[in-house]
Each structure stands twice: as structure tokens, then as C-alpha cells.
């Protein structure tokens, strides 16, 4: 995302999310514990806009996405979203569905790694938010469910039919998106849906540790790796290899590449600057 801004001022307060930024790590918490962090129109819009702001500011080098209370996120609020959408016309519904997709694109396109800290339920849109993260650190209590067909909609919501087969394979993705079955943490780890299993009650802390490791590393290298992982999903090999070559040539002119060589020569840890 471009770092250039227009006239809009930086958002000082986010109404639908809790946001903390410290030493390059942002922690974004879905904070409706009484509703299992069910998403509202405002929460979707805040996530979309927050990720765009953080991407432009370039002060964040890693982000933790977490949920307060008993679960990560139970999906769209049944009353505030599902009930409301029944009264919308097609144009309004298209606007809403495009907005939810923009959140997923923002997670995939932001220039820093996103770590989802999952405990308890991650259902419907909550499961897709976790899926769109770069890493999913799960508590043993975590359970994922892509519930869209169970409410009479396509399982391919918010990019799920694009992302899930690329994470767990077509066979598992077909089962999960068509049947809406719940996948508990051990199976999720086995099929590759979970990046790492934490100790009981430890998903948030394990996600913070991973985010800290990422933030202390070479930020530009991480950003370009994430960009290539997304861009090359649909490329033939020849185009991917050419994009890799161009990217490496640019990074070889960067300060971090020279810093690695200096640190190796001087037998000290590199001082990464993200440049």
C-alpha cells in the first residue's frame, strides 16, 4: 500500500476495535466479549480503515489480531448484520460484501506480517479473518468453522474459496466450505490451518512473542516476501522467477543487505533498519 496520504487526518480513536501500538508491534483486539466478538458493519469498516492507516504510516512491523473473552470471533452478528441484510437491496448488499472482502485484501496486502491469536471459536467471518492472517497461533481450545453454507450462502465468502485451498488443499477446503464442519485445534494443525499450537491459555502470548520476533527482523524483507507469496499464487513459474529476480536485485541495493554483510564480518547481530 502507498505511504502517501491525502487530507484526511490520522484516526485517534477506533470505536469498534481496541488498538495498541508499541515498539513496532500493533495489537488489534476484537472487543465485544459479551457477543463472542461478533462483527458489526462498524467493526468491518474499522478493520479496513485501520489496516490502510497502519500500512501508510510504516511504523508497524508486525500485527497481532486477537479476540477478547471466551473466543476469537463468532462471525457476523446475527441481529446487526444478518437481520439487517434481509432488508437491503442488491446494490446495498454488494456494497456490504465488497467491504468485507476489502478487509481480507487489506490483511493480505498490508506490508507487515499479521499473526492471528486464536482461542475458542473462530467461525464464519471470524474463521476467514484468521485464514487471511500470515500466521495462526492457536490455543488447544480453538475451533474453526466456515459456516456460510449453513446459513444458505456460498461457502466462497470473503475470499475463502481462494485462500483456503491454498492453505489446506482442495480436498480439505471443499469439505470445510461445503459442510461447515467444526475443525478443532489438533486437526487444524494437522491439515495446515494452524501455524503453531500454543499451550492452554497461551495463544495471545505466543502470538506476541512471534510478532516481536518478526518486528525485530528485517522488515523490508518480510514485506517483500509477503507480497511475493500473494502475487505469485496465480503466476506461471517463469513470471514468478522473473519477479523474484527483480525483487532480489532491488533488495540487494538496500541497507539491510549491506548491514548483514557488515554484521557477519564483524561477528555481531545485524541491526535491521527495514531499508
Amino acid at each position: 500500500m502507498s505511504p502517501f496520504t491525502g487530507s484526511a487526518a490520522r484516526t485517534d480513536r477506533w470505536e469498534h476495535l481496541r488498538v495498541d501500538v508499541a515498539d513496532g508491534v500493533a495489537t488489534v483486539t476484537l472487543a465485544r466479549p459479551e457477543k463472542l466478538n461478533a462483527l458489526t458493519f462498524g467493526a468491518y469498516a474499522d478493520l479496513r480503515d485501520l489496516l490502510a492507516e497502519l500500512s501508510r504510516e510504516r511504523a508497524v512491523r508486525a500485527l497481532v489480531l486477537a479476540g477478547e473473552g471466551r473466543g476469537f470471533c463468532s462471525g457476523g452478528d446475527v441481529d446487526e448484520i444478518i437481520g439487517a441484510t434481509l432488508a437491503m437491496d442488491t446494490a446495498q448488499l454488494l456494497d456490504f460484501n465488497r467491504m468485507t472482502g476489502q478487509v481480507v485484501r487489506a490483511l493480505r496486502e498490508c506490508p507487515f506480517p499479521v499473526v492471528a491469536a486464536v482461542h475458542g471459536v473462530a467461525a464464519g467471518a471470524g474463521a476467514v479473518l484468521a485464514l487471511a492472517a500470515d500466521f495462526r497461533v492457536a490455543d488447544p481450545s480453538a475451533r474453526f468453522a466456515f459456516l456460510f453454507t449453513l446459513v444458505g450462502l456460498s461457502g466462497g465468502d470473503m475470499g475463502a474459496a481462494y485462500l483456503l485451498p491454498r492453505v489446506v488443499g482442495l480436498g480439505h477446503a471443499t469439505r470445510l466450505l461445503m459442510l461447515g464442519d467444526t475443525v478443532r485445534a489438533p486437526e487444524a494443525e494437522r491439515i495446515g490451518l494452524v501455524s503453531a499450537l500454543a499451550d492452554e491459555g497461551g495463544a495471545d502470548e505466543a502470538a506476541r512473542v512471534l510478532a516481536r520476533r518478526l518486528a525485530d527482523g528485517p522488515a523490508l524483507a518480510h514485506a517483500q516476501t509477503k507480497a511475493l507469496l500473494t502475487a505469485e499464487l496465480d503466476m506461471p513459474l517463469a513470471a514468478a522467477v522473473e519477479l523474484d529476480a527483480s525483487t532480489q536485485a532491488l533488495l540487494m541495493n538496500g541497507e539491510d543487505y549491506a548491514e548483514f554483510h557488515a554484521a557477519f564480518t564483524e561477528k555481531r547481530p545485524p541491526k535491521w533498519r527495514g531499508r
Side-chain angles (χ1 to χ4, degrees), residues 7-14 19 21 50 53-54 56-57 59:
S7 303
R10 183 179 187 273
T11 306
D12 293 322
R13 178 178 174 272
W14 297 94
V19 181
V21 180
L50 169 65
E53 279 197 16
L54 294 177
R56 288 194 300 268
E57 290 173 1

Side-chain angles (χ1 to χ4, degrees), residues 1-5 10 21-26 49-63 106 109-113 215 217-224 227 251 272-275:
M1 294 184 183
S2 169
F4 297 102
T5 60
R10 183 179 187 273
V21 180
D23 195 20
V25 175
D49 296 344
L50 169 65
L51 288 162
E53 279 197 16
L54 294 177
S55 297
R56 288 194 300 268
E57 290 173 1
R58 300 293 170 94
V60 167
R61 301 188 298 279
L63 183 146
E109 294 174 4
C110 61
F112 43 77
L220 184 57
H222 290 158
Q224 292 305 309
L251 292 180
W272 304 115
R273 301 190 64 186
R275 298 179 181 173

